[in-house]
Amino acid sequence: MKEFIKKDMLYIKAYHKMNLIISLLFVISAAVNFGNNFFAAYGMLFLTMISTALMSYDESEQFIYYAVSLPKGRSKLVSSKYISNLILCAGGLLLAVISYFIGGRDDGTLLTLLTMLIFVSLTVPSFMLLFNFALGTKKGRLPGILALGAVFGVAAYFGAVNVEGGLPLLTAFAIVAVSSALYAVSWCISLIIYKKKSF
């Protein structure tokens, strides 16, 4: 598993270095209040797109055929993509929190910001990765993009609406819980589908 994740990180370093920098700049700009939370969601969306693009590299370079020949290779391949996404997005979240406090914001919006970022970082890849593993990256692109549009529409709403006093804690907890559950379900279904997939 560790080797699969390391390979994904090397792919990101080789092919997505500039996208990674731009994504993190969006997150920072929103966190320090140079923009609004919409930009943070946009930055996090870019991070999730980087992680979901990893599967297309595996297919184009035929790494998947090597991976499925290894013991537990299918499950390692699937899990590495979900874990790589979590690593990228956790980095984005940490940077957002650090930037928020360095920027001296004291407007009670940290909970709203983090909830929206977690929502995007878990919900978008829940659909994108699932469609990629079920249909392949080419056939899964369109339904994944449609799902992405719906998810990002909700995230944009969070970014545009200024909740008086910040997002209620119970609401934030519910959003994070549902997003986490969706991510876990997507992960499990992808494992089941990919284990039965013929090549």
Side-chain angles (χ1 to χ4, degrees), residues 151-170:
V151 169
F152 195 65
V154 176
Y157 173 79
F158 273 111
V161 173
N162 181 24
V163 181
E164 186 68 29
L167 194 68
L169 182 60
L170 189 60

Side-chain angles (χ1 to χ4, degrees), residues 128-143:
M128 297 292 288
L129 288 173
L130 179 59
F131 286 124
N132 279 354
F133 285 115
L135 305 173
T137 54
K138 289 184 179 179
K139 291 182 180 178
R141 187 172 293 133
L142 180 58

Side-chain angles (χ1 to χ4, degrees), residues 1-2 7 9 15-16 22 24 26 29 51 62 77 90 104 111 119-120 136 146 151 155 157 163 171-172 193 198:
M1 175 72 71
K2 183 172 65 176
K7 175 192 66 64
M9 294 300 113
Y15 301 114
H16 289 285
I22 292 171
L24 295 177
F26 270 111
S29 70
S51 61
Q62 299 187 345
L77 184 67
L111 182 63
F119 173 78
V120 172
L146 293 175
V151 169
Y157 173 79
V163 181
T171 303
I193 290 172
S198 59

Side-chain angles (χ1 to χ4, degrees), residues 13 106 133-134 156 182:
K13 182 180 178 181
D106 188 25
F133 285 115
L182 184 63

Side-chain angles (χ1 to χ4, degrees), residues 92-115:
L93 285 169
L94 180 61
L95 190 60
V97 172
I98 292 171
S99 302
Y100 183 93
F101 288 111
I102 289 177
R105 286 181 66 174
D106 188 25
D107 52 6
T109 60
L110 180 60
L111 182 63
T112 304
L113 175 66
L114 290 180
T115 301

Side-chain angles (χ1 to χ4, degrees), residues 39-72:
F39 291 108
Y42 197 68
M44 194 61 73
L45 175 68
F46 260 87
L47 289 180
T48 63
M49 294 301 290
I50 290 172
S51 61
T52 54
L54 294 173
M55 190 62 191
S56 65
Y57 292 119
D58 287 347
E59 287 187 1
S60 63
E61 296 180 12
Q62 299 187 345
F63 176 80
I64 56 173
Y65 299 109
Y66 166 73
V68 299
S69 68
L70 298 174
K72 297 184 179 179

